[in-house]
Amino acid sequence: MGTNLSPAFAYVVIYVKDVVKSVEFYAKAFGYNVRRLDESHRCGELESGQTTIAFTPMHQHETDDLTGSVQKSQSKLERGPVEVCLDFTDVDAAYKRAVENGAEAVREPEQKEWGQKVGYVRDIDGIVVRMGSHVTPPK
């Protein structure tokens, strides 16, 4: 039952309160270039390599009616089932830039036992963003 499917991970969609503000925040706080922001402000995209980071409003009739509505955490002690993970060469500088540009500091970068430096912030919608260094697989 083999197939010739060759899927590519193309998009991550982040559901937000305000697409324009979120696109501007990610561009400023994390250094992304904006690929597009449609005139209706219902969709925005950032240049991020092979996978596009897209933003859309939390509630849309097109998807809410088909797949259910997006549920938001009720407090900072809760978080959604997805974490945005960004890879940086200089995690300390990236973390500082994010916090200086409106990200909420959660945990300053620290060296992990597996060789990665990792820090955490929350974006303007309360979504946890993990900022880490690239980990090279063992040889």
Side-chain angles (χ1 to χ4, degrees):
M1 191 156 217
T3 66
N4 286 334
L5 295 179
S6 184
F9 189 54
Y11 279 84
V12 170
V13 178
I14 301 174
Y15 293 91
V16 298
K17 289 179 242 171
D18 185 312
V19 171
V20 174
K21 286 181 182 176
S22 291
V23 167
E24 289 171 351
F25 168 77
Y26 272 74
K28 192 172 181 182
F30 302 113
Y32 285 106
N33 291 319
V34 178
R35 175 184 289 165
R36 83 179 180 96
L37 181 60
D38 76 0
E39 290 181 16
S40 72
H41 296 169
R42 290 180 45 202
C43 181
E45 297 178 354
L46 302 174
E47 294 287 345
S48 61
Q50 291 182 321
T51 303
T52 299
I53 301 172
F55 299 89
T56 196
M58 287 194 68
H59 298 290
Q60 290 189 43
H61 296 295
E62 298 89 3
T63 53
D64 286 0
D65 294 344
L66 290 172
T67 60
S69 63
V70 174
Q71 302 299 307
K72 188 170 177 357
S73 301
Q74 299 303 309
S75 79
K76 290 186 181 184
L77 298 176
E78 298 177 346
R79 61 185 175 123
V82 175
E83 183 175 276
V84 175
C85 299
L86 306 177
D87 191 22
F88 293 95
T89 304
D90 186 340
V91 179
D92 292 314
Y95 180 88
K96 182 179 184 221
R97 175 185 176 150
V99 172
E100 287 174 348
N101 285 286
E104 178 186 336
V106 174
R107 180 152 201 132
E108 290 187 10
E110 61 184 5
Q111 196 66 40
K112 300 294 187 179
E113 62 269 13
W114 56 86
Q116 185 180 36
K117 190 167 217 180
V118 177
Y120 294 89
V121 297
R122 285 186 188 271
D123 73 7
I124 60 174
D125 286 287
I127 296 167
V128 174
V129 179
R130 181 180 204 252
M131 304 174 73
S133 59
H134 182 72
V135 177
T136 305
K139 294 180 182 180

